[in-house]
Amino acid sequence: MTGPRAIPPEHLQVILEDHRKWVESKGKEGKRASLRGARLWGVHLVGVNLSEADMGEAILARVSLVTADLSKTNLSGANLWEADLSGANLSDAHLRGANLEGTNLEGANLVRASLGRAVLTRANLQRANLRSAYMINTDLRGADLTDAIGLTEVQIRSAI
């Protein structure tokens, strides 16, 4: 088994451009981004569109994905420790088992996101939209849920 792979900045730009073309052409041009297992520690990807990308098990600690489109993106098992995802669209995203400890998700859209077994300790979820989010065994200890939208008693009981 190999460890996380570093992505040089120039290669990351090519991946992002190919993915943009893939999204805009509905899969007819470009290529879907595969950043599975990538190491992108501290990278700034503000406003980027990575919808439907595969970023499973990627190391995205302290990454800035402010207002990014990560809808339907696979982030299962990813490490997003202290990342900034404020205002990001994570609707229908797969975050099963992801580490979101200390992550800023203020105002993020997490509608129908799969957060089972995710760690959200000390995460900022102020004004986040959690409607229909799957949160079985989600660790919310110390998370700030002030004015979170759509958080139900069932979700809270299902979380740790």
Side-chain angles (χ1 to χ4, degrees):
M1 182 173 165
T2 60
R5 60 187 170 98
I7 306 289
E10 59 278 1
H11 186 63
L12 179 58
Q13 290 308 314
V14 171
I15 292 170
L16 294 174
E17 180 59 22
D18 283 347
H19 188 75
R20 183 193 60 76
K21 290 176 186 174
W22 182 81
V23 169
E24 289 176 0
S25 70
K26 297 183 178 14
K28 293 184 176 114
E29 296 177 25
K31 184 178 175 185
R32 179 181 177 215
S34 178
L35 294 165
R36 173 171 281 283
R39 187 176 69 232
L40 299 171
W41 185 288
V43 173
H44 293 278
L45 299 171
V46 175
V48 72
N49 185 342
L50 280 165
S51 62
E52 298 185 60
D54 183 5
M55 299 173 76
E57 300 176 15
I59 296 177
L60 303 163
R62 294 195 170 161
V63 166
S64 180
L65 285 158
V66 174
T67 68
D69 186 349
L70 300 165
S71 58
K72 299 180 184 176
T73 296
N74 177 26
L75 289 156
S76 296
N79 183 351
L80 290 141
W81 175 76
E82 292 190 355
D84 190 351
L85 295 158
S86 55
N89 180 5
L90 291 145
S91 61
D92 298 297
H94 303 284
L95 292 146
R96 287 178 306 275
N99 178 14
L100 295 145
E101 182 180 351
T103 297
N104 183 8
L105 290 154
E106 183 175 355
N109 179 3
L110 291 151
V111 171
R112 294 179 307 278
S114 177
L115 292 159
R117 296 187 332 269
V119 176
L120 287 149
T121 55
R122 299 183 303 100
N124 177 3
L125 290 154
Q126 293 179 24
R127 294 183 298 286
N129 189 342
L130 295 161
R131 283 192 181 102
S132 301
Y134 178 82
M135 298 177 75
I136 302 295
N137 295 322
T138 302
D139 189 344
L140 292 169
R141 289 177 290 183
D144 186 347
L145 296 162
T146 305
D147 297 326
I149 302 166
L151 189 61
T152 67
E153 191 174 315
V154 171
Q155 287 170 303
I156 292 169
R157 277 198 319 258
S158 298
I160 296 172

